[in-house]
Amino acid sequence: QVQLVESGGGLVQAGGSLRLSCEVSGGTFSRYAMGWFRQAPGKEREFVATITWNGGMTDYLDSVKGRFTISRDNAKNTVYLQMNSLQPEDTAVYYCAADRRPGIRVSSKQSAYDYWGLGTQVTVSS
């Protein structure tokens, strides 16, 4: 049974930083492409960032490019999302997700991901 557990969320002032972590257990993390998504109150869940199994390719939501960085440590079964210059519009529940399909790929589509965490709340005050 694959489990994803996010951590690192919290309350931060605009302009601040947070680093989210997502630890994966019960599966073969090093073979999964990983993604981060978020859902703000009253809005649909949206793609934020993704990374290939080997870390060689990444993709981001346009509004977070240059501010957020996704990375992974396959030895620790963990994917990270470093978030800098946070803005109130970044307030959301952040979810990590795993794509178990073989091959080198990134995807912004929620349907591409097989496993999901329960999320961690990020609140950015103005």
Side-chain angles (χ1 to χ4, degrees):
Q1 182 178 356
V2 179
Q3 291 188 319
L4 288 70
V5 179
E6 302 95 337
S7 62
L11 174 64
V12 64
Q13 289 188 332
S17 298
L18 284 173
R19 187 175 83 154
L20 305 183
S21 300
C22 172
E23 184 172 0
V24 179
S25 61
T28 312
F29 174 79
S30 61
R31 297 182 181 179
Y32 300 154
M34 297 297 298
W36 284 97
F37 292 78
R38 68 186 181 186
Q39 186 167 20
K43 296 186 178 181
E44 294 187 351
R45 188 161 58 185
E46 66 175 353
F47 164 76
V48 175
T50 183
I51 188 167
T52 51
W53 66 267
N54 63 353
M57 189 184 308
T58 59
D59 193 20
Y60 296 91
L61 177 69
D62 284 347
S63 64
V64 308
K65 286 180 180 177
R67 301 189 298 124
F68 290 11
T69 302
I70 188 171
S71 61
R72 65 189 297 156
D73 184 339
N74 286 349
K76 296 183 178 179
N77 290 352
T78 301
V79 62
Y80 304 97
L81 185 68
Q82 177 66 43
M83 306 186 295
N84 299 329
S85 301
L86 283 161
Q87 299 301 316
E89 52 264 34
D90 295 315
T91 294
V93 177
Y94 283 72
Y95 301 89
C96 70
D99 172 4
R100 66 180 180 180
R101 295 173 299 164
I104 297 176
R105 60 170 49 81
V106 291
S107 178
S108 61
K109 296 183 178 181
Q110 296 183 50
S111 59
Y113 294 85
D114 303 285
Y115 308 112
W116 292 81
L118 296 180
T120 186
Q121 176 70 47
V122 172
T123 303
V124 184
S125 63
S126 57

